[in-house]
Amino acid sequence: MHSPMHSIVLVGMPGAGKSAIGKRLAARLGLPFLDADTEIENAAGMTVAEIFARYGEAHFRDGERRVISRIAAGPPVVLATGGGAYADARTRRALREAGAVTVWLRADIPVLKRRIVGRSNRPLFIGRDPEEVLRGLMAARYPFYAEADLALDCGDDAPEVTTLRVERAILGWQRPARLPVALSTGAYEVVVGSGLLARAGGLLSPHLPSRRVAVVSDASVAALHLPTLRAGLAESGIDLCAEILVPPGEGSKRMTMLEEVLEGLLAGGTDRKTTVIALGGGVVGDLAGFAAAVALRGLPFVQVPTTLLSQVDSSVGGKTGVNLRAGKNLAGAFHQPRIVLADTDTLATLPRRELRAGWGEVAKHGLLQGPLWEWCEAQGPAAMAGDPEALRHAVLESCRLKAGVVVADEREEAPEGGRALLNLGHTFAHALEAECGYDGTLLHGEAVAVGLGLAASLSARLGHCSQEWPGRVIEHLATVGLPARLCDLPRGFSAEALLGRMRKDKKVRDGAMRFVLMRGAGAAFTTADVPPDTVEALLRDEGAT
């Protein structure tokens, strides 16, 4: 068996078996085994107990951190750490930065007690009731152990059995991808991977100002994913002070619902260090983000998107808001999250129609990026059939593209291009959604798909791209099961009404409608130089009355 590229670091309570399992794991992986306490004793020329007695715990922890950081930065090893090592924030950060794989070995009190009895070299246990000490240590350390990459329960199994389980877990584990969004106002990460909800506490802890959070979700998502998130937060000792559920659907993005969310946050005892977690799709993210932006003049905010649409689009970039009668997203704020956790496992619970709707935004990103469009044409059907690897790639590459655009134009102020390019297809899409009254008959991603077909057709009519592009865009969207033309929608539209909606769009400047058009995949641009009669003729040719 080949050895891993990074060190494996075992963390956990005294008596969890870190040394016994570490030695066996190192032998199986063909790596050297090191014990942090032994390395410290060799460096100091005295035992851990002597260092504690002579210099105190703070001095010991400082030396321990230096030793562990040095080992982790070197060639791969299996390292067993002392029980308190991983409770030190700087040690945890050093291990993260070194790319070490951290494994928390969990065992309950009876098992630990049996294993530590008679060990005279444990300074924390000398002259004290072991059970009482263990309970105190668990309460203090478990929230930090929860930040480890992997957690395994190892009860009374023989060390050989536990070693095999640890080895299997490490080999089957895929490190989540971390994309930095490096804004001038402060950078954050988009974390994309599997099983993130169950580890939410450990992943979020380093980014929260306090261990207090409030969750905003919708009734459908909460039934599926809130219990997992709750357990993940509890493991890190994070206090969930409010759970606010809104009805599913675009209808919840309105001022009256914003007020309800704000009242719910304050009734839950939210203070300025309480983080608002948005668990759900784009509606929940936009609504919870806006509430976080205005509650107490601004609360920290985390996005946990659970739909393809929100994972590839709305959770990144800090745009929040609600709809007004006059149109979509006309009240809102820029409020960047502290971190985005995109757990791709949640996509398996999406209704087919919701999954397909998310693809509308993936296809848009493909057209903006270039090579991603060709990947979409090749892999779109597999992704829509639920292929986890294809979905992971779609989320990762969409976030990569969006992060790049957002960093270059955080508040959509670039005179041309910039963040406005992300509205490819959206001038048409928002008009269609507004005409449908946000009643669920047309999902945002479906509207975007039709909008992409219309944008490609308009680009070709105005001579910006070759005639093959409209056909190519429409064919791909139809292949993955999306509506791609006006005539694919279950109701009719009036060209005059749609144009009226477009004239009220946020992107209108000096009364002129602005469109994102394309010269080809990877070559989109913004322009106001579009004759309204050309748009009207296109809509009528496509079936509008």
Side-chain angles (χ1 to χ4, degrees):
M1 195 205 118
H2 66 282
S3 58
M5 300 294 291
H6 296 282
S7 288
I8 292 159
V9 179
L10 304 179
V11 306
M13 295 281 285
K18 299 182 296 272
S19 296
I21 287 157
K23 283 174 188 157
R24 290 168 172 82
L25 185 64
R28 290 189 62 82
L29 297 177
L31 290 174
F33 170 75
L34 295 176
D35 181 292
D37 283 356
T38 308
E39 296 298 309
I40 292 161
E41 290 179 340
N42 292 343
M46 58 179 90
T47 67
V48 169
E50 285 168 344
I51 300 171
F52 260 76
R54 193 177 297 183
Y55 300 108
E57 185 172 1
H59 176 86
F60 171 75
R61 293 293 171 214
D62 204 40
E64 179 180 52
R65 186 186 81 260
R66 284 201 300 274
V67 167
I68 290 173
S69 302
R70 173 174 55 74
I71 294 168
V77 298
V78 175
L79 174 67
T81 62
Y86 203 65
D88 183 287
R90 291 176 301 174
T91 301
R92 291 197 302 281
R93 189 163 57 245
L95 289 172
R96 264 200 307 276
E97 286 168 2
V101 181
T102 46
V103 183
W104 174 18
L105 300 180
R106 272 192 305 228
D108 58 18
I109 283 187
V111 172
L112 296 174
K113 206 165 123 184
R114 266 202 309 282
R115 289 179 183 165
I116 59 166
V117 165
R119 293 195 193 175
S120 57
N121 64 340
R122 305 248 172 203
L124 295 172
F125 290 90
I126 294 167
R128 297 171 65 193
D129 171 24
E131 186 158 335
E132 192 185 313
V133 175
L134 286 169
R135 283 193 196 288
L137 290 176
M138 278 181 171
R141 292 175 180 176
Y142 268 31
F144 303 118
Y145 292 159
E147 291 183 35
D149 295 314
L150 289 162
L152 267 105
D153 290 302
C154 45
D156 260 337
D157 293 335
E160 291 75 15
V161 176
T162 304
T163 302
L164 284 174
R165 285 179 54 228
V166 172
E167 183 186 11
R168 266 202 306 273
I170 291 167
L171 295 176
W173 179 70
Q174 189 177 23
R175 188 185 295 278
R178 290 174 176 268
L179 278 175
V181 184
L183 296 167
S184 57
T185 46
Y188 62 91
E189 282 184 325
V190 181
V191 184
V192 181
S194 167
L196 304 186
L197 279 183
R199 294 190 47 232
L203 290 163
L204 296 180
S205 291
H207 306 276
L208 304 183
S210 78
R211 287 181 189 264
R212 273 174 71 77
V213 300
V215 172
V216 180
S217 188
D218 76 41
S220 304
V221 171
L224 290 166
H225 302 302
L226 186 53
T228 312
L229 176 63
R230 229 186 253 132
L233 294 170
E235 192 170 64
S236 286
I238 291 174
D239 175 30
L240 183 48
C241 62
E243 292 178 7
I244 300 154
L245 303 188
V246 303
E250 191 78 25
S252 284
K253 269 180 66 166
R254 53 196 164 88
M255 279 297 198
T256 49
M257 196 57 70
L258 174 70
E259 193 175 345
E260 283 189 37
V261 172
L262 290 169
E263 296 291 0
L265 288 173
L266 296 170
T270 297
D271 60 31
R272 303 229 17 209
K273 285 188 168 179
T274 304
T275 299
V276 177
I277 298 179
L279 173 72
V283 169
V284 164
D286 284 3
L287 178 65
F290 193 17
V294 295
L296 303 176
R297 298 202 177 92
L299 297 178
F301 171 52
V302 166
Q303 285 271 22
V304 184
T306 59
T307 64
L308 182 59
L309 188 79
S310 57
Q311 290 189 4
V312 300
D313 187 54
S314 57
S315 63
V316 180
K319 274 188 180 179
T320 71
V322 295
N323 304 328
L324 301 179
R325 274 197 296 277
K328 197 169 155 110
N329 297 328
L330 291 179
F334 285 99
H335 192 52
Q336 299 290 351
R338 293 288 179 103
I339 185 171
V340 178
L341 288 191
D343 185 342
T344 49
D345 292 349
T346 61
L347 303 179
T349 62
L350 279 183
R352 280 275 161 254
R353 185 183 171 202
E354 290 272 356
L355 189 69
R356 284 197 298 265
W359 194 259
E361 292 285 1
V362 178
K364 176 199 78 178
H365 291 141
L367 288 170
L368 291 176
Q369 198 258 6
L372 182 59
W373 170 255
E374 289 173 16
W375 179 86
C376 285
E377 288 183 310
Q379 297 297 322
M384 291 301 91
D387 180 313
E389 205 35 61
L391 287 168
R392 177 188 162 90
H393 186 82
V395 173
L396 199 55
E397 293 309 312
S398 288
C399 289
R400 198 187 305 282
L401 169 100
K402 185 152 189 193
V405 174
V406 166
V407 166
D409 182 21
E410 184 180 341
R411 301 181 80 86
E412 208 166 336
E413 290 162 338
E416 293 302 329
R419 194 164 176 162
L421 291 176
L422 295 168
N423 288 306
L424 178 64
H426 282 55
T427 306
F428 292 109
H430 286 164
L432 291 167
E433 284 181 278
E435 272 302 282
C436 289
Y438 311 117
D439 61 357
T441 56
L442 180 65
L443 300 176
H444 175 67
E446 293 168 340
V448 168
V450 175
L452 292 175
L454 289 167
S457 300
L458 182 58
S459 302
R461 283 193 180 208
L462 294 170
H464 297 303
C465 68
S466 69
Q467 295 300 321
E468 69 153 325
W469 273 108
R472 201 170 153 184
V473 170
I474 288 165
E475 185 191 359
H476 171 63
L477 296 168
T479 302
V480 296
L482 279 164
R485 308 182 69 152
L486 270 185
C487 56
D488 294 340
L489 297 178
R491 51 158 288 178
F493 296 89
S494 132
E496 195 181 336
L498 290 174
L499 280 164
R501 296 280 185 187
M502 289 185 207
R503 289 194 180 98
K504 286 187 180 150
D505 194 278
K506 293 194 303 301
K507 293 173 288 300
V508 167
R509 284 193 207 158
D510 304 325
M513 291 187 292
R514 296 185 67 76
F515 287 87
V516 184
L517 299 177
M518 51 184 280
R519 297 186 181 93
F525 62 99
T526 53
T527 179
D529 188 19
V530 177
D533 54 353
T534 308
V535 181
E536 187 176 352
L538 170 65
L539 291 172
R540 291 195 191 284
D541 289 349
E542 284 290 312
T545 53

